């Protein structure tokens, strides 16, 4: 155990002792995020400030994941990271403020290693049992709906400077860093950026990789359950001492960030809220407001990571194809002639005898039989769908020890990956290979969502993290292994989690699997339906069906989008299956397309402008987007270019001429206008009285045309490009 954890333990043990008696006098500050999955808390307990998240995995039934965040000491010093899990015998419920949550908590300092290394080694248990009333996580009004409605105030926080600030790597960000708790569900961050202190959590959720259109993976070999970004939640503190604001951010559609690449860029849409003074449900619906600059927050992945990154996943040689599986060591494809040979009469002569037998040396096994395939990546090759685990046991046919990196030979090439359990009846590990440019293809099971394994498999602890069921940790994520014919719901299956005597989830009259969510509005009008683990229900009125937890809402053509996102009706590809993140809005394709922040809603050929600005259709040579400020007008390039503004006594701008108030511009008549009291006659040179009583022949003979009118001219101006999300 690293020595830098000891001061953290001392601080947090003191916090635990203070917590229960101080709750009654705690300064209230909490709210509920728009997706209803996180209760955000910022409260003083004695001399300590708790900036924490109470995270849920599902809403119906409510299923807690953990409590995470920071604890600050008023005496100063670096804040501590905290991670708590609910005891199995806890009776706390957010629907009853007086109920008691029983938690087991651990603490850590900022991580100075890799994220996974700190998750395993840097967290120290600070209290086996903390009893906290549900009221600590709730606003004063509790959790339910209130009858009175109120208008929420726009938060004072301004993220505009953050949106234009390039996020620095961990070494360049002031102090305190990041950490990954043992269950791997949240990357906790406490850093300064753009003149703000961010005490936030990048939250992950299990999601399917493969065919995301289906509700469950089943036994399909191409569907892997892995973690993906759910949202970013927490507090942002202005460094000038202004009150902190709660923030909720969802990844934009055009975000390309990945935690595997510290230099990649995440793009978020963020909204903010002050502490809730009503009920949690009402504040989740009404308090969250756009933040200036929050429509496009760009942060490098390194902002969420400690100095060592994740670390990087081992990569196999490029001439080995690794085929993802929901469990078992992945299948491999090795090109013929590189240690792989055709058998019998299937020797390839100028072609590829697909389906014929072949063999290749794998690990400690000199000859493993497979079949010939024509693979688009490596050509004619030998494919082995079921690699015998005994060929690649770590410490035998493969190098490495359980939980660490490993490698083994496949013909003349090297497969690299991680040593993981492969059977509930064996204490050993096999080397799960990773294809170049990809992660090890295993299926996450267990955890707070209770994800199940395919038939014939059971869920054992993932030894790569620091979440240890033997030490009292709850809801530890696991991975699927061969159950040896055992059924974990009826008997103990070796090293696998015991799933016996679980209380079944009943949705209406239908029994649902562990981790599922009951739906209130089913296609047949009943409540006897559910969504599988990792997915949530949508009301029939909103399109019905199930969406991934990380994309819970429907949009137009039944695509699943983040909560609070703005569904677009006019997408760049001509369809309607796109959206803009929270805090931004869609721009019609005719106006340039893409998304604009709510505080800059005017589109200008790929730019986002403030209200009142005019986009110029004719810009100086070499510029594709320019505009004029409010009160001025664009002048075409062939008429001199620039912007024309008018003095206060002649406020009407008719192209490049300033006119008296009440005049009407006739834009279809060469920039002419009609004087006050008259209106333009379309398709004619004339103006007629506004009452329409005069005949055309009695109308003013001709609209006046261009004159200088006291106008002032300047060049059009430009701003950063509009995103194409």
């Amino acid at each position: 155990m690293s020595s830098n954890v000891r001061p953290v333990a001392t601080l947090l043990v003191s916090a635990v002792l203070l917590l229960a008696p101080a709750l009654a006098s705690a300064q209230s500050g909490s709210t509920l995020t728009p997706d209803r999955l996180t209760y955000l808390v910022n409260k003083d307990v004695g001399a300590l400030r708790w900036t924490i998240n109470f995270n849920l995995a599902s809403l119906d039934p409510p299923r807690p994941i953990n409590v995470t965040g920071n604890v600050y000491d008023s005496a100063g010093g670096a804040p501590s990271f905290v991670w708590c899990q609910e005891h199995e015998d806890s009776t706390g419920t957010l629907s009853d403020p007086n109920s008691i949550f029983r938690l087991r908590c651990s603490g850590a300092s900022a991580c100075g290693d890799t994220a996974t290394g700190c998750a395993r080694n840097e967290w120290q248990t600070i209290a086996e049992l903390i009893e906290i009333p549900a009221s600590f996580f709730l606003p004063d009004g509790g959790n339910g709906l209130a009858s009175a409605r109120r208008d929420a105030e726009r938060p004072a926080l301004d993220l505009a400077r953050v949106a234009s600030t390039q996020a620095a790597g961990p070494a360049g960000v002031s102090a305190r860093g990041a950490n990954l708790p043992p269950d791997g569900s949240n990357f906790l961050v406490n850093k300064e950026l753009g003149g703000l202190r961010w005490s936030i959590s990048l939250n992950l959720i299990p999601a399917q990789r493969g065919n995301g259109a289906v509700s469950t993976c089943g036994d399909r070999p191409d569907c892997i359950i892995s973690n993906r970004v759910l949202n970013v939640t927490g507090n942002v503190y202005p460094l000038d001492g202004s009150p902190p604001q709660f923030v909720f951010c969802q990844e934009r559609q055009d975000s390309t960030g990945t935690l595997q690449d510290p230099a990649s860029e995440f793009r978020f849409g963020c909204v903010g809220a002050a502490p809730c003074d009503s009920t949690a449900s009402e504040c989740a619906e009404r308090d969250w407001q756009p933040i200036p600059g929050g429509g496009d927050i760009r942060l490098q992945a390194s902002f969420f990571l400690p100095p060592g990154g994740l670390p990087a996943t081992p990569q196999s040689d490029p001439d080995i194809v690794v085929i993802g599986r929901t469990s078992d060591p992945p299948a491999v494809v090795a090109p013929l002639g590189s240690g792989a040979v055709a058998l019998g009469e299937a020797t390839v002569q100028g072609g590829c005898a697909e389906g014929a037998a072949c063999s290749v040396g794998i690990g400690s096994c000199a000859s493993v039989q497979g079949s010939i395939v024509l693979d688009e990546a490596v050509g004619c090759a030998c494919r082995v769908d079921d690699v015998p685990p005994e060929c690649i046991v770590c410490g035998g046919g493969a190098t490495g020890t359980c939980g660490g990196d490993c490698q083994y030979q496949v013909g003349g090439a090297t497969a690299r990956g991680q040593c993981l359990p492969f059977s509930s009846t064996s204490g050993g590990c096999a080397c799960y290979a990773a294809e170049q440019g990809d992660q090890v293809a295993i299926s996450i099971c267990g955890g707070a969502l209770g994800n199940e394994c395919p038939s014939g498999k059971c869920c054992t602890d993932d030894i790569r993290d620091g979440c240890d069921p033997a030490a009292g940790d709850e809801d530890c994520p696991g991975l699927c292994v061969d159950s040896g014919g055992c059924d974990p719901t009826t008997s103990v299956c070796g090293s696998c989690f015991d799933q016996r005597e679980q209380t079944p989830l009943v949705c209406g009259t239908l029994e649902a699997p562990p981790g599922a969510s009951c739906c209130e509005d089913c296609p047949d009008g009943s409540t006897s339906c559910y969504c599988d683990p990792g997915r949530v229900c949508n009301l029939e009125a909103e399109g019905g069906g199930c969406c991934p937890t990380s994309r819970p809402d429907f949009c137009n053509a039944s695509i699943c989008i983040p909560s609070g996102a703005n569904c677009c009706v006019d997408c760049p590809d001509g369809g309607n299956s796109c959206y803009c993140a929270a805090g931004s809005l869609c721009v019609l394709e005719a106006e340039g397309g893409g998304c604009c922040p709510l505080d800059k809603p005017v589109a200008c050929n790929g730019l986002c402008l403030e209200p009142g600005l005019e986009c110029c259709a004719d810009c100086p040579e070499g510029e594709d987007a320019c505009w004029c400020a409010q009160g001025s007008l664009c002048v075409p390039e062939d008429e001199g270019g620039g912007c024309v503004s008018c003095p206060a006594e002649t406020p009407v701008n008719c192209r490049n001429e300033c006119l008296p108030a009440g005049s009407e511009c006739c834009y279809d008549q060469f920039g002419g206008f009609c004087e006050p009291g008259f209106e333009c006659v379309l398709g004619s040179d004339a103006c007629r009285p506004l009452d329409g009583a005069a005949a055309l022949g009695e109308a003013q003979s001709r609209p006046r045309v261009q004159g200088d009118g006291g106008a002032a001219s300047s060049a059009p101006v430009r701003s950063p490009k509009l995103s194409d999300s």
Side-chain angles (χ1 to χ4, degrees):
M1 185 66 61
S2 175
S3 60
N4 71 336
V5 180
R6 297 193 181 279
V8 178
T10 302
L11 170 64
L12 292 179
V13 168
S14 301
V16 170
L17 296 176
L18 284 168
L19 185 57
L23 287 177
S25 60
Q27 177 184 339
S28 177
S30 63
T31 194
L32 177 61
T33 56
D35 62 1
R36 274 69 168 177
L37 288 173
T38 306
Y39 289 78
L40 304 178
V41 180
N42 194 318
K43 295 185 178 181
D44 291 328
V45 181
L48 303 175
R49 167 61 61 97
W50 289 66
T51 303
I52 57 175
N53 296 348
F54 187 102
N55 302 301
L56 299 178
S58 66
L59 301 179
D60 186 18
R63 186 176 291 106
I65 300 177
N66 53 30
V67 175
T68 59
N70 286 118
V71 177
Y72 295 82
D73 190 343
S74 61
S80 305
F81 292 103
V82 63
W83 169 68
C84 303
Q85 287 191 305
E86 193 176 11
H87 277 271
E88 188 175 0
D89 60 355
S90 175
T91 58
T93 170
L94 294 166
S95 61
D96 179 5
N98 297 317
S99 64
I100 303 296
F101 283 99
R102 294 167 58 86
L103 304 176
R104 177 178 182 268
C105 294
S106 299
S109 300
C111 174
D113 190 12
T114 65
T116 53
C118 289
R120 287 194 301 268
N121 304 318
E122 296 297 319
W123 290 82
Q124 179 177 330
T125 301
I126 55 175
E128 289 290 346
L129 176 62
I130 304 177
E131 294 188 331
I132 302 180
S135 58
F136 182 70
F137 304 107
L138 296 171
D140 293 340
N143 196 44
L145 291 169
S147 56
R149 296 186 176 184
R150 61 187 177 85
D151 293 328
E153 296 180 357
R154 177 182 292 270
L157 182 66
D158 187 351
L159 296 185
R161 51 190 162 180
V162 179
S164 61
T165 300
Q166 182 66 26
V173 176
S174 175
R176 298 163 190 169
N179 214 319
L180 176 66
D183 64 358
S185 296
N186 321 84
F187 282 80
L188 306 181
V189 179
N190 195 305
K191 295 181 180 179
E192 290 178 12
L193 177 66
L196 302 169
R197 166 67 61 181
W198 296 67
S199 177
I200 57 174
S201 172
L202 177 71
N203 305 311
L204 307 179
I205 199 79
Q208 295 162 20
R209 191 185 76 187
N211 183 3
V214 299
S215 61
T216 184
C217 281
D219 291 315
R220 292 180 13 266
D222 65 330
C223 188
I224 308 299
I225 297 177
S226 58
N227 282 332
R228 65 173 296 174
V229 173
L230 173 64
N231 53 36
V232 172
T233 56
N235 277 105
V236 175
Y237 292 81
L239 298 184
D240 61 5
S242 303
Q245 292 288 335
F246 294 113
V247 294
F248 172 78
C249 305
Q250 297 245 334
E251 197 173 6
R252 288 165 50 112
Q253 195 172 13
D254 56 355
S255 175
T256 57
T258 169
L259 293 169
Q260 284 71 40
D261 179 6
S264 64
E265 184 180 73
F266 283 99
R267 299 180 70 174
F268 297 100
C270 299
V271 290
C276 175
D277 60 5
S278 182
T279 69
S281 295
E282 182 177 349
C283 290
E285 181 179 356
R286 307 184 187 284
D287 273 17
W288 293 90
Q289 300 291 325
I291 303 172
D296 187 7
I297 301 299
R298 305 185 184 196
L299 295 172
Q300 286 183 350
S302 59
F303 185 73
F304 301 101
L305 296 168
L310 278 181
T313 301
Q315 307 284 293
S316 297
D317 286 351
D319 50 351
I320 297 176
V321 177
V322 179
I323 303 171
R325 302 289 293 274
T326 55
S327 55
D328 298 333
V332 295
V333 175
L336 292 178
S338 179
V341 297
L343 299 178
E345 299 179 359
T347 302
V348 179
Q349 296 179 352
C352 192
E354 293 186 75
C358 59
S359 70
V360 61
I362 299 179
S364 62
C365 299
S367 179
V368 179
Q369 187 165 326
S371 59
I372 295 177
V373 296
L374 180 59
D375 187 271
E376 60 182 27
V378 298
C380 200
C382 185
R383 170 171 172 158
V384 179
D385 283 321
D386 296 303
V387 177
E390 57 268 21
C391 299
I392 53 175
V393 170
C394 295
T399 63
T401 58
C402 286
D405 293 345
C406 58
Q407 66 180 50
Y408 59 88
Q409 293 302 115
V410 179
T414 301
R416 299 177 182 88
Q418 293 178 309
C419 289
L420 300 171
F422 63 89
S423 170
S424 65
T425 60
S426 172
C429 293
C431 187
Y432 285 66
E435 189 173 3
Q436 192 167 81
D438 204 352
Q439 298 174 267
V440 174
I442 61 169
S443 181
I444 294 174
C445 57
L449 284 173
N451 286 305
E452 293 183 305
C453 293
S455 176
K457 312 296 175 184
C458 60
C459 190
T460 194
D461 183 43
D462 188 342
I463 56 178
R464 297 172 300 174
D465 58 33
C467 193
D468 185 3
D473 293 332
E474 298 289 334
D475 293 330
C476 290
L479 52 92
C480 295
V481 299
D482 184 357
S483 66
C486 176
D487 182 354
T489 63
T490 60
S491 59
V492 178
C493 298
S495 64
C496 286
F497 296 143
D498 188 357
Q499 293 183 257
R500 297 176 302 169
E501 301 178 359
Q502 288 189 339
T503 302
L505 173 66
V506 178
C507 299
T509 59
L510 195 64
E511 185 172 323
S517 296
C518 297
C519 301
E520 298 178 355
D521 187 9
C522 302
D524 60 2
S526 71
T527 57
S528 299
C529 61
Y530 62 86
C531 290
D532 285 292
R535 304 178 77 85
V536 293
C537 306
N538 282 271
L539 297 177
E540 277 300 301
E542 299 171 355
C546 301
C547 278
T549 310
S550 54
R551 292 284 188 271
D553 294 333
F554 268 105
C555 172
N556 291 326
S558 295
I559 65 168
C560 297
I561 66 172
S563 287
N566 177 21
C567 188
C568 301
V569 296
D570 187 9
C571 301
D573 61 1
N576 59 0
S577 298
C578 60
Y579 65 88
C580 293
S584 61
L585 53 80
C586 301
V587 177
L588 295 178
E589 190 69 16
E591 299 173 356
C595 302
C596 280
L598 293 178
D599 57 335
K600 293 185 177 180
V602 180
C604 180
N605 299 325
L607 307 180
C608 293
L609 310 180
E610 295 178 357
L613 301 185
E614 180 185 356
C615 183
C616 301
D618 189 5
C619 299
E621 186 176 356
E623 301 290 345
D624 58 1
C626 55
W627 70 91
C628 293
Q630 189 169 10
S632 62
L633 194 67
C634 298
V635 176
E637 190 71 15
D638 59 3
E639 296 177 6
C643 302
V644 175
S645 58
C646 296
E649 61 271 16
T650 57
V652 179
N653 195 326
C654 185
R655 295 201 185 277
N656 63 338
E657 185 169 4
C658 298
L659 310 175
S663 299
E664 179 179 354
C665 295
C666 303
Y667 288 123
D668 63 330
Q669 297 170 342
F670 311 104
F673 67 93
C674 292
E675 294 180 342
F678 289 82
E679 63 180 353
C680 302
V681 178
L682 296 179
S684 168
D685 291 346
C687 300
R688 82 177 148 220
L690 288 175
D691 59 13
L696 183 59
E698 299 172 354
Q700 185 177 327
S701 61
R702 183 181 180 86
R704 293 177 57 190
V705 292
Q706 303 174 132
D708 62 28
S713 179
S714 62
V717 291
R718 291 163 287 281
S719 73
K721 289 291 184 184
L722 162 69
S723 67
D724 293 324
S725 62

